[in-house]
Amino acid sequence: MSRGATRKHARGPEPSSRLSRLVRPLRMIIAGIGLLAAFGLVLVGGWKLAQLPVERVVFSGDLGRVPQARLEAMVSDKLDSGFLSIDIEEIRAPLQALPWVFKVVVKRRWPSHLEIVVTEQVPIARWGDVAYLNQQGEVFAPIQYEAMPELPLLEGPQGSQLQLMQRYQYIREQLQPLDLEVVALQMDQRGGLVARLHTGSELVFGRGQLERKLARFMGVYYADLADKSERLRSVDLRYGHGLAVAMGTG
């Protein structure tokens, strides 16, 4: 060894370095225990929340034809599973199936209430002898059918409800200035239309060209038939460029 050279002695790790190596795993263990404890609290809390009972059911909506007592009876036996675990669809579906019910919405209201919003069917026309049409053109048939003569009568093949309702609304709007009211509209299997008016007379449109045929009738009515409306029995508009009028003797 040359003169003046110094020997370096190997030194062990510093105490602070050893301590940091011990503390780091300990921190990880403590953090893991904390996470497990928090997760356990969440599970326990969630289980307790799920067991909270439904304390009250609130019904809202314009309930005229659907007795609230019947709704309450249908719901009461489905409330045992708890506020959060209760099956909303299991409650909603049977109520939705009631004949006079158009729509049902079931909502949870914290912390322990259910709100059930019921929208009833609004009949805008009679459909045949035992059913109605609602505002969407859908057929519904309550068990206890009422004739409701103030509603127009629509009759047609299955699946023609919406089309027939649209035809009825168009004819009604066009005839209003003539003070003629449509009380019934029928469609046969081939699509031919016959309208019955409040005066007892009939307008036979047949198939197609409804707008043109109706305009033809209105022109003739203004010119020749308005003062004879009480004796008017039928107007056949199935001709290409004319019409046939049948008058009564009364």
Side-chain angles (χ1 to χ4, degrees):
M1 178 180 298
S2 62
R3 184 178 296 178
T6 59
R7 179 180 295 176
K8 295 183 179 180
H9 298 281
R11 300 176 62 185
E14 295 292 335
S16 60
S17 176
R18 290 198 300 269
L19 182 60
S20 64
R21 286 199 297 270
L22 292 174
V23 169
R24 189 177 297 113
L26 184 59
R27 287 177 177 173
M28 294 178 65
I29 293 172
I30 293 173
I33 294 173
L35 287 174
L36 288 175
F39 183 68
L41 289 174
V42 170
L43 288 178
V44 172
W47 181 83
K48 288 184 176 180
L49 286 175
Q51 301 307 309
L52 287 176
V54 176
E55 295 182 355
R56 187 158 60 100
V57 179
V58 179
F59 289 91
S60 60
D62 296 328
L63 299 177
R65 297 182 177 273
V66 183
Q68 182 169 325
R70 183 180 182 186
L71 300 176
E72 292 173 349
M74 294 176 66
V75 170
S76 62
D77 62 346
K78 297 179 174 63
L79 304 178
D80 297 333
S81 52
F83 176 68
L84 290 182
S85 56
I86 198 167
D87 189 336
I88 294 295
E89 182 60 21
E90 185 180 355
I91 293 176
R92 190 198 69 82
L95 303 182
Q96 181 72 62
L98 293 174
W100 276 102
V101 171
F102 175 66
K103 184 179 181 181
V104 176
V105 177
V106 181
K107 302 177 182 178
R108 290 184 177 90
R109 294 302 186 193
W110 186 260
S112 58
H113 298 168
L114 283 183
E115 180 184 2
I116 301 179
V117 183
V118 179
T119 304
E120 288 191 351
Q121 295 277 16
V122 178
I124 65 168
R126 290 172 287 157
W127 181 253
D129 296 328
V130 294
Y132 305 103
L133 291 183
N134 66 15
Q135 63 272 30
Q136 304 295 324
E138 300 168 339
V139 177
F140 67 100
I143 297 175
Q144 295 181 342
Y145 176 79
E146 302 174 25
M148 293 190 185
E150 69 276 12
L151 296 178
L153 173 64
L154 304 184
E155 295 180 291
Q158 184 64 31
S160 65
Q161 301 94 276
L162 185 57
Q163 181 185 15
L164 195 55
M165 186 175 71
Q166 292 171 343
R167 296 288 189 273
Y168 162 77
Q169 291 174 338
Y170 176 77
I171 297 171
R172 183 177 69 89
E173 291 172 0
Q174 296 300 310
L175 295 184
Q176 275 182 342
L178 281 65
D179 293 326
L180 295 176
E181 180 182 354
V182 181
V183 297
L185 184 63
Q186 296 175 316
M187 177 185 289
D188 61 28
Q189 294 294 331
R190 300 180 60 198
L193 292 175
V194 177
R196 187 169 77 250
L197 307 180
H198 73 288
T199 59
S201 57
E202 289 186 343
L203 305 181
V204 183
F205 293 103
R207 298 172 56 193
Q209 298 183 335
L210 176 62
E211 294 82 359
R212 181 179 300 179
K213 293 174 180 177
L214 192 55
R216 186 190 311 156
F217 165 75
M218 294 172 64
V220 173
Y221 187 86
Y222 272 123
D224 299 314
L225 300 177
D227 59 347
K228 307 180 185 67
S229 59
E230 294 182 358
R231 296 194 296 116
L232 183 63
R233 293 296 174 261
S234 69
V235 179
D236 191 339
L237 296 151
R238 290 174 293 180
Y239 300 91
H241 300 284
L243 49 82
V245 176
M247 305 294 291
T249 56

